[in-house]
Amino acid sequence: IIGVEIYAINITEDREQFKRLMQRIGIPMAPQATATSYLSGKEIAQEFGFPLVIRASFTLGGAGASFVYKEEEFDELLTRGLEISPIHEVMIDIALIGWKEFELELLRDSNDNVVIICSIENMDPMGIHTGDSITVAPAMTLSDTTYQRMRDMAIHMMRSIGDFAGGCNVQFAVSPDKNEDIIAIEINTRVSRSSALAS
């Protein structure tokens, strides 16, 4: 916790700022858009189609987040996400149902040395919130090549959000096919459930 900058917390908890930063540093993410009103959310859903993920900005534990499989569920879940977010903002993503979900726990010192404390694998695929999924450490089905790519991406992401010394947790989705494409889900610049599991 000591040393994490307010800037780093703000940029990682604000979905739109985080998306723009990842685009700037070349880290792939699921197609997504920000909605700050009911009308803008409806327009995004019409453009993307279903299933979708709604994620509220500046909330903890997945509050305000939901998977939406059908159009008739969308209005209520969008409204709930906007109401729960303290800045009335949600990120709407195309859902990557069936992709594997992994996390890396990172630790950095004041000389910018970064180590991966451990890798974590969610036993459930994307679609189950991390806090509700059984997780194992270290990851069991991650190939070494994909792990090294994920490691490089995580370190690049951590360095891009500030010079703080401390820990962070980075979540990734990996496609279930042989290409094992990697996309970033989010980065938490704080102690999390994953930190407890790693320790």
Side-chain angles (χ1 to χ4, degrees), residues 138-157:
M140 306 302 283
T141 68
L142 192 57
S143 70
D144 183 60
T145 306
T146 303
Y147 170 75
Q148 295 302 332
R149 284 166 49 218
M150 195 181 287
R151 174 188 174 280
D152 291 345
M153 288 168 70
I155 292 171
H156 187 37
M157 289 166 68

Side-chain angles (χ1 to χ4, degrees), residues 1-4 105-110 113-115 117 158 163-169 188-190:
I1 297 173
I2 295 171
V4 176
E105 198 71 29
L106 286 71
L107 189 63
R108 178 169 62 175
D109 67 15
S110 57
N113 296 304
V114 182
V115 294
I117 300 298
M158 187 180 194
D163 299 326
F164 64 91
C168 76
N169 160 261
N188 296 307
T189 51
R190 53 181 165 76

Side-chain angles (χ1 to χ4, degrees), residues 56 62-66 74-85 90:
S66 49
F74 184 72
D75 293 5
E76 180 185 343
L77 295 172
L78 172 63
T79 302
R80 188 185 76 176
L82 288 167
E83 287 174 352
I84 287 175
S85 168
V90 297

Side-chain angles (χ1 to χ4, degrees), residues 84-112:
I84 287 175
S85 168
I87 62 168
H88 305 290
E89 177 187 278
V90 297
M91 185 66 77
I92 300 174
D93 301 22
I94 290 177
L96 301 174
I97 303 294
W99 284 44
K100 295 180 177 183
E101 187 172 351
F102 296 93
E103 304 172 51
L104 294 181
E105 198 71 29
L106 286 71
L107 189 63
R108 178 169 62 175
D109 67 15
S110 57
N111 293 320
D112 198 34

Side-chain angles (χ1 to χ4, degrees), residues 6-18 34 55-65 81-91 186 188-190:
I6 290 296
Y7 167 80
I9 294 171
N10 285 339
I11 204 164
T12 53
E13 293 294 333
D14 184 315
R15 305 288 184 191
E16 182 61 29
Q17 280 194 69
F18 181 66
T34 303
R55 293 186 294 148
S57 291
F58 291 98
T59 62
L60 295 175
L82 288 167
E83 287 174 352
I84 287 175
S85 168
I87 62 168
H88 305 290
E89 177 187 278
V90 297
M91 185 66 77
E186 65 181 5
N188 296 307
T189 51
R190 53 181 165 76

